[in-house]
Amino acid sequence: MGIPGSGLAKGLAVTLRTMTRKAHTAQYPDVQPELPPRTRGVIGLFEENCTVCMLCARECPDWCIYIDSHKETVPPAAPGGRERSRNVLDRFAIDFALCMYCGICIEVCPFDALFWSPEFEYAEEDIRDLTHERDKLREWMWTVPAPPALDPSAEEPKEIAAARKAADKIAAAVAAEAAQTAQAKDAAQGDRPTGSSGRDGAAS
């Protein structure tokens, strides 16, 4: 059992400690805050990477992502090929009045079409203006920070290692083929008879 009044003494000690400290007031908006690099401010859309797979809209817990699209027929790439159909994005909007900034849409996007931006100054007087259409979402892409540099001592990513291995294999095959071609050419030149003896015989 504790000493009677110990809780009150601890509380007063905290009060006395904070009374001696100088108050620090952030001079916002005159001085912008220094935000961490992974701040979840607003979501930017890189429209060229969007394939209208609908994963972000299906996985969103708040159902605040609205996507509309239509299908177009793509002519065959080669003569005799089959026509293909592809989805064309008509609308991509995010309602930030409903968004809870969980980041699931960004995590599940398989084509890197959504990115976090640290920008947070987009308050509106009308709540309907918090629904950002794809043009507005594209503008946020200009505020997305560059990815951090890789750690020099870190292990090389598996994708890069596999790509490098495949490139080295192709380069080795091309070099081997060039060496074989050069050897065959040298052998053909060595077996070819010279024309000087024929000309000398005819002259004699």
Side-chain angles (χ1 to χ4, degrees):
M1 180 127 182
I3 302 174
S6 61
L8 178 61
K10 290 180 181 178
L12 290 175
V14 173
T15 303
L16 291 173
R17 233 178 7 248
T18 55
M19 285 177 61
T20 58
R21 295 177 184 173
K22 184 178 179 181
H24 175 73
T25 303
Q27 302 298 324
Y28 177 83
D30 297 329
V31 179
Q32 292 293 320
E34 294 183 4
L35 300 175
R38 298 181 65 184
T39 298
R40 298 182 178 186
V42 71
I43 298 172
L45 171 67
F46 190 59
E47 187 177 332
E48 285 74 10
N49 285 359
C50 181
T51 61
V52 201
C53 66
M54 304 293 291
L55 273 176
C56 56
R58 286 200 298 264
E59 297 296 331
C60 177
D62 295 330
W63 291 84
C64 63
I65 301 177
Y66 314 113
I67 300 177
D68 293 328
S69 65
H70 69 277
K71 289 187 178 292
E72 285 186 357
T73 302
V74 180
R82 283 182 12 180
E83 292 183 344
R84 296 178 296 109
S85 63
R86 67 183 182 95
N87 291 323
V88 179
L89 186 66
D90 292 327
R91 185 194 183 200
F92 195 111
I94 299 178
D95 187 354
F96 287 103
L98 297 177
C99 179
M100 65 178 185
Y101 302 89
C102 63
I104 292 178
C105 57
I106 297 175
E107 296 294 331
V108 300
C109 180
F111 302 105
D112 291 334
L114 297 173
F115 296 87
W116 276 120
S117 166
E119 294 294 325
F120 61 92
E121 297 178 316
Y122 51 93
E124 300 288 350
E125 294 182 356
D126 190 343
I127 194 173
R128 292 171 294 185
D129 293 333
L130 285 174
T131 300
H132 293 187
E133 298 293 336
R134 63 179 183 176
D135 294 337
K136 182 68 174 178
L137 295 174
R138 174 186 283 274
E139 292 179 7
W140 291 124
M141 277 300 301
W142 298 107
T143 64
V144 173
L150 297 177
D151 187 352
S153 60
E155 183 179 353
E156 188 177 39
K158 295 180 180 179
E159 297 83 1
I160 297 179
R164 192 187 308 279
K165 185 177 180 181
D168 293 342
K169 187 176 180 181
I170 294 174
V174 171
E177 184 178 356
Q180 289 180 357
T181 303
Q183 289 178 358
K185 187 175 180 180
D186 293 341
Q189 289 179 353
D191 294 339
R192 184 181 303 166
T194 59
S196 59
S197 59
R199 285 195 298 270
D200 294 342
S204 60

